[in-house]
Structures are given as C-alpha cells and as structure tokens.
Amino acid sequence: ALVLDGEILVDHGATRYVVYDILYADGHDLRGRPLEERRKILEGRACFDETVQLSEVKRRAPTTGEFVAKKL
C-alpha cells in the first residue's frame, strides 16, 4: 500500500489527481528521506494514467522546487 501526496485538479470538467510525493510505502514512513529519494521510489512504484498523473519538478533556484502537472 502507498500513501501519496498531491492535489485534485478540475479543468473543463476533467478531474485529475496530480501526485508529487510519496509519504508511506508498504508500512514504511518515508517522510524523513530526501525528496529526490522519495521521487525515485514514487516513479518506480505508483501507476499513472490520464486521471492520476506524476507532477514535474521545475527548478528556479538550487534550493527551491516547483511542481507542475505533467501528462505521462
């Protein structure tokens, strides 16, 4: 089982869940791990389609991240 963090977006009647983080995997708390490590786990474990999408990470500065929906 996975616990994901994201946002529900509604655009022109289409509903999507955009996922940007994984908090728990198989009962293990991942919140203390670096974001980059959690993203790798998320990319390898979750299933994405038209309604559940992985966010894209955009970097503005070395220490700041911005998540933007990316259709896979």
Side-chain angles (χ1 to χ4, degrees), residues 11-57:
D11 185 28
H12 301 290
T15 303
R16 300 175 288 162
Y17 181 54
V18 180
V19 180
Y20 50 83
D21 201 358
I22 184 168
L23 306 177
Y24 293 86
D26 301 323
H28 299 282
D29 186 353
L30 305 175
R31 294 175 297 167
R33 295 188 183 184
L35 178 59
E36 292 80 13
E37 183 179 338
R38 295 193 316 268
R39 286 287 296 197
K40 287 180 185 176
I41 294 169
L42 175 60
E43 291 168 1
R45 296 288 308 271
C47 296
F48 302 100
D49 59 23
E50 305 84 38
T51 58
V52 179
Q53 300 174 356
L54 180 63
S55 68
E56 180 180 328
V57 177

Side-chain angles (χ1 to χ4, degrees), residues 56-68:
E56 180 180 328
V57 177
K58 295 220 176 203
R59 297 283 179 189
R60 290 185 185 172
T63 59
T64 305
E66 177 182 358
F67 298 101
V68 179

